[in-house]
Amino acid sequence: RYTERALELDPGEAARAIGLLQSLGRFDEALQLTWFWLLRDPLSDGAHASHGLTLLMARRLAEAEPHWRRAISLNPEGALWKPAFLAMIMGFQGEYHEALDFLENQPENLYNQTVLSWLYQQLDMTEESERELAQVTAMLGPGAHFALARLHALLGDADAAFEQLDYLDTFDHWNRERYWPMYWPIEHDPRWHQFLEKAGVSDAQLAEIEFNFKMNPEPSSFLRTTQER
């Protein structure tokens, strides 16, 4: 309700609704906003990342890929987690070798090494996959249930992933995270739907949330309002 009222008072702040629309699975509406953001500021790495993330969450991988590449090229220093997402997009399209070549040339960090473990696994490079898995696990520590769940889910280890998810006592941001590709390998497990219900973000629960959003069909109106601010 707060967001609805904010948009009524100031339509120029419509971009704030992107995250909420994403979290509700209303990707077509979110894409209207991210597209207008790109029209307003085509050199914004944030706009490209937001548009690419929405496309990724909607599983429109081929369309998402160039926006992630553009986001990284526009701001290489601020691309901490973006290369890992780009590599996942490539991998889920079957481009494992290309994704590996790309990610092996990126700085070592938690995000990149998590996805590297998955790419090595997909290419039957067991020793390398286990090496990255061990490093990431050591970096995280035993209490990092959220990140460990992502890691094990991406590797398809459903038992380990749900063991970590069972430790969670807060589900902030889960309405968006549930669409992230790290969880795609375990979403057909019956426990996935049970967990979504526990977190309050199952399809049925999200459908009950009312958020009335109307996008002005004229991009010029949105652009003019935001540029004047």
Side-chain angles (χ1 to χ4, degrees):
R1 296 299 182 187
Y2 174 84
T3 305
E4 288 179 14
R5 182 57 177 158
L7 294 174
E8 290 173 6
L9 295 173
D10 190 352
E13 293 297 321
R16 292 186 177 183
I18 292 172
L20 180 54
L21 290 169
Q22 289 174 335
S23 72
L24 296 175
R26 291 163 59 173
F27 303 123
D28 288 344
E29 293 165 278
L31 285 169
Q32 291 183 58
L33 293 177
T34 56
W35 181 246
F36 285 174
W37 186 2
L38 283 170
L39 289 175
R40 183 190 68 182
D41 191 357
L43 297 181
S44 166
D45 63 297
H48 282 280
S50 183
H51 193 67
L53 178 59
T54 308
L55 289 166
L56 172 59
M57 294 167 75
R59 308 200 183 200
R60 294 163 59 175
L61 303 182
E63 296 172 76
E65 183 173 339
H67 290 285
W68 287 91
R69 291 187 182 278
R70 185 63 170 149
I72 293 170
S73 67
L74 286 168
N75 186 11
E77 300 302 320
L80 178 64
W81 52 275
K82 296 183 181 72
F85 271 72
L86 175 56
M88 280 191 291
I89 291 172
M90 297 167 69
F92 277 111
Q93 295 180 93
E95 301 171 358
Y96 296 115
H97 289 285
E98 296 85 347
L100 184 60
D101 289 343
F102 165 73
L103 202 56
E104 283 184 328
N105 290 306
Q106 300 298 319
E108 288 190 0
N109 61 46
L110 176 64
Y111 308 98
N112 293 343
Q113 289 179 261
T114 294
V115 178
L116 275 174
S117 181
W118 172 65
L119 291 173
Y120 287 133
Q121 179 199 60
Q122 298 304 304
L123 293 169
D124 294 323
M125 301 171 66
T126 304
E127 182 177 343
E128 292 84 349
S129 178
E130 292 181 349
R131 180 194 66 214
E132 298 296 335
L133 173 61
Q135 290 182 0
V136 172
T137 302
M139 291 167 62
L140 289 172
H145 303 302
F146 214 159
L148 286 170
R150 292 176 187 157
L151 170 64
H152 292 302
L154 184 59
L155 293 173
D157 189 344
D159 290 341
F162 286 111
E163 180 181 352
Q164 295 298 324
L165 291 174
D166 284 342
Y167 283 109
L168 298 179
D169 55 10
T170 180
F171 304 104
D172 293 344
H173 311 300
W174 250 100
N175 46 354
R176 291 184 68 198
E177 178 121 356
R178 59 157 294 186
Y179 297 107
W180 285 13
M182 290 83 87
Y183 301 99
W184 292 355
I186 67 168
E187 65 182 8
H188 297 298
D189 190 296
R191 290 171 291 182
W192 179 241
H193 179 70
Q194 296 170 5
F195 173 76
L196 294 181
E197 287 192 327
K198 176 183 176 182
V201 295
S202 68
D203 290 341
Q205 290 166 316
L206 293 180
E208 294 177 355
I209 300 175
E210 293 186 11
F211 176 56
N212 300 314
F213 173 73
K214 293 182 180 179
M215 188 68 209
N216 189 320
E218 294 296 331
S220 59
S221 173
F222 176 81
L223 299 180
R224 183 174 61 253
T225 306
T226 52
Q227 287 174 340
E228 288 172 352
R229 292 182 58 80

